[in-house]
Amino acid sequence: MQKPDQTVFYGIEKAIKSYRQFAQKNITDKGFAITIDQGLILSLIQDYPGITQQQIAIRAFKDHASVTRIIENLVSRKLLTRDFHPDDRRRFSLGLSTLGSETLHQLKPVASANRKKALKGVSVQELETLKNILDQITENCTDHEKQ
C-alpha cells in the first residue's frame, strides 16, 4: 500500500492548502478583514440571487452549520443583508449590502492576481487536462450513489 504522502490525493490536498494559505495572506496583507470562505459566500450570493443556505453549503463545500456561522458574521459586519423570504417565512432572503458589494469588487483584483501567480507556468492545455482528471475522479467517487 502506498504511503499517504505518495498519493495523488495528498498532492491535491497539499496544493489546495498551500493556495488557501498563500491567497489568505495576500488578502490580509492588502488590508482586507475577510476570509476566503467569507468572500466565496459573498460571491455566491451575488452570482446566484435567491440562493438558499443549503445551496451555498453545497457550492462552497461546507457543512450547513459553518455556512450559518459565516452568514451570521457577514450580517453582523454589515456585508450581507438578511430578510425574511417573501414566500416562506421559515427561510431568509440574503443579499449583499452596499459595503458587501464594494468589498467584493475590491477583492476581485487580489483574487485574480492570486490565481495568476498560483498558475504561473501552467499552460491552458495542462489546466484543461487537470480539470478533466479532477472531474473524472469526482465522477468515479460519486458514481456509487447512482448504483
Side-chain angles (χ1 to χ4, degrees), residues 53-112:
Q53 284 188 223
Q54 183 177 6
Q55 292 166 334
I56 291 169
I58 290 166
R59 287 186 180 269
F61 307 106
K62 299 286 176 202
D63 61 81
H64 193 273
S66 295
V67 170
T68 299
R69 280 191 302 276
I70 292 169
I71 288 172
E72 288 296 326
N73 180 283
L74 293 170
V75 168
S76 72
R77 293 176 49 213
K78 306 212 181 311
L79 295 167
L80 268 185
T81 60
R82 178 179 53 197
D83 299 308
F84 283 107
H85 193 276
D87 300 327
D88 184 352
R89 303 277 298 165
R90 295 170 294 175
R91 289 179 38 205
F92 291 107
S93 179
L94 299 168
L96 268 61
S97 66
T98 302
L99 180 60
S101 292
E102 290 171 1
T103 300
L104 200 53
H105 178 73
Q106 292 171 355
L107 269 174
K108 283 188 181 190
V110 178
S112 181

Side-chain angles (χ1 to χ4, degrees), residues 92-140:
F92 291 107
S93 179
L94 299 168
L96 268 61
S97 66
T98 302
L99 180 60
S101 292
E102 290 171 1
T103 300
L104 200 53
H105 178 73
Q106 292 171 355
L107 269 174
K108 283 188 181 190
V110 178
S112 181
N114 287 342
R115 290 178 188 137
K116 184 177 180 180
K117 175 152 176 142
L119 295 173
K120 181 181 177 188
V122 181
S123 73
V124 172
Q125 183 178 348
E126 289 170 324
L127 284 175
E128 188 61 31
T129 299
L130 177 59
K131 181 186 178 311
N132 290 337
I133 292 168
L134 294 174
D135 287 347
Q136 183 63 56
I137 291 170
T138 301
E139 185 179 321
N140 292 345

